[in-house]
Amino acid sequence: MNTAVQEKQKKVILITGASRGIGAFTASLLAQQGHSIIINYANNDQEANAVVQRIQANGGTATAFKANISHSDEVTQLFDYAIQTYGRLDVLMNNAGIMRLNKIEDVDDETIDQLLAINLKGPLYTMREAAKRLAHGGKIINLSSSVVGMKLETYGVYTASKAAIESLTAILAKELRGKNITVNAIAPGPTATALFLEGKSDELIARLIQAAPLERLGTVEDIAAVLDFAVNEGSNWVNAQILRVNGGIV
Ligand code: NDP
C-alpha cells in the first residue's frame, strides 16, 4: 500500500484531565504517533509537567494548560490557548472526571454539585466550545462509564452525570450535521487508576474484578487502545455511538 495512505494524519488533540490515569497514558500513546497534545489538568502542576516532559523526551509535542473545566471562562481560555499555540484544534477528548460514591439518601449537596459541575457541566462547556471551534473533520470523544449499564448502588450521582454525557453525545452529533465532525463516547468498566482504586475496600474491588467474564480490572492500556481508534482514521464512519470497553461486565 502507498505509504502516504498508510501514514496517520497528524492532529492537534486536547485531552482534559491528562495529568494522570487514562488521560496521561493516552496522551503519551497519541504523541508517539506524531499528534500534538494539549495536556489539561486542574490541580497538580507537577504531574502535568511530568507528562509533558516524558512526551518531549520521547520526541513528541505536548504542552500543559491548567484550567478547571467546571468554570466556563477557564474552558474558553483553554480553547484560546490550544488554537493560538497550534493554529487549530482537531480533537477534543473529554476525559477529566471525578468519582464520589454515596447512597442517594446520604449524598450531600456539595457532593452533588461537585460531581455535576466537573462530570457534566465541564464536558458540556468543552463540547459547546468545540462545536464552535473544532476544525472541519474533527472529532469529539467523551468518556462515559459502563456503570450507566450496570446501575450499581452508591453510584447514583456519578452514573447520572455519565448518562447525561451519553445523551449529549448523540444530540451533539446530530447538531453538527454539515461540519464533518463526529461525536462518540467510550464507556470503560472498572479500570486500575486512582479514580477507581481510591477509597474502595479490597472486598469491593475483588467483587468488581469477578463481575467481568474476563476476571480482571481494565488497564489504561486497554482503554487507550480504543481511544486511539476513536482519534484516528479507522473510526471516521463511527458517529453518535457509545462503545463500552469493560471485559464484558455489562
Ligand atoms: P484519574 O482520577 O486517574 O484522573 C483524572 C484526571 O482528571 C486528572 O488528570 C485530574 O487532574 C483531572 N481533573 C479532575 N477534575 C478536573 C477539572 N475540574 N478540570 C480539569 N481536569 C480535572 O481518572 P481516570 O483516568 O480513571 O478517569 C478518566 C475518565 O474516565 C473519567 O471521566 C472517568 O469518569 C472515566 N472512567 C474511569 C473509569 C475507571 O474505572 N478508572 C471507569 C469508567 C470511566 P488534577 O488532579 O490536576 O485535577
Side-chain angles (χ1 to χ4, degrees):
M1 194 194 280
N2 182 332
T3 48
V5 174
Q6 279 180 315
E7 198 180 323
K8 287 177 174 168
Q9 189 198 332
K10 305 293 182 253
K11 303 187 185 208
V12 180
I13 302 171
L14 165 59
I15 307 180
T16 66
S19 57
R20 55 192 156 87
I22 294 168
F25 188 85
T26 305
S28 296
L29 180 75
L30 294 171
Q32 276 166 27
Q33 299 168 7
H35 301 302
S36 301
I37 318 289
I38 298 110
I39 307 285
N40 160 252
Y41 67 105
N43 298 294
N44 196 322
D45 303 319
Q46 231 176 342
E47 281 183 332
N49 290 333
V51 176
V52 169
Q53 277 161 19
R54 258 200 319 274
I55 289 174
Q56 291 176 345
N58 288 324
T61 303
T63 44
F65 193 88
K66 187 174 189 168
N68 185 332
I69 57 156
S70 67
H71 298 152
S72 65
D73 55 337
E74 294 185 34
V75 167
T76 304
Q77 288 159 17
L78 173 62
F79 275 72
D80 288 348
Y81 169 82
I83 292 167
Q84 278 159 19
T85 306
Y86 295 101
R88 61 171 205 284
L89 185 63
D90 301 301
V91 177
L92 164 66
M93 192 177 290
N94 262 324
N95 168 77
I98 58 164
M99 179 187 271
R100 305 276 183 273
L101 301 181
N102 293 101
K103 287 173 79 172
I104 291 166
E105 69 179 30
D106 296 331
V107 67
D108 58 35
D109 292 0
E110 195 189 334
T111 304
I112 295 172
D113 288 346
Q114 205 187 12
L115 267 167
L116 295 182
I118 297 174
N119 289 7
L120 173 54
K121 286 170 83 175
L124 190 48
Y125 294 146
T126 57
M127 278 190 264
R128 179 171 67 186
E129 210 65 35
K132 289 186 265 201
R133 303 175 73 176
L134 225 55
H136 189 81
K139 296 187 181 207
I140 299 172
I141 301 151
N142 294 323
L143 268 286
S144 178
S145 168
S146 291
V147 295
V148 172
M150 295 167 80
K151 299 183 173 61
L152 297 170
E153 288 149 316
T154 73
Y155 280 72
V157 185
Y158 177 80
T159 302
S161 72
K162 295 298 190 181
I165 293 302
E166 293 193 2
S167 298
L168 290 167
T169 297
I171 290 168
L172 183 58
K174 287 181 182 165
E175 291 180 357
L176 290 176
R177 175 183 292 272
K179 289 193 171 179
N180 193 26
I181 294 173
T182 60
V183 191
N184 292 293
I186 304 301
T191 306
T193 68
L195 177 138
F196 171 75
L197 294 168
E198 273 173 13
K200 288 200 177 65
S201 66
D202 291 347
E203 188 266 329
L204 177 57
I205 293 171
R207 196 147 43 87
L208 286 167
I209 288 173
Q210 288 310 312
L214 297 185
E215 295 185 318
R216 65 170 176 85
L217 293 178
T219 62
V220 290
E221 287 87 347
D222 291 324
I223 309 307
V226 179
L227 292 168
D228 175 0
F229 164 72
V231 162
N232 284 303
E233 277 66 40
S235 63
N236 282 358
W237 190 233
V238 181
N239 192 19
Q241 302 303 310
I242 316 296
L243 178 53
R244 289 181 181 159
V245 187
N246 59 33
I249 204 166
V250 65

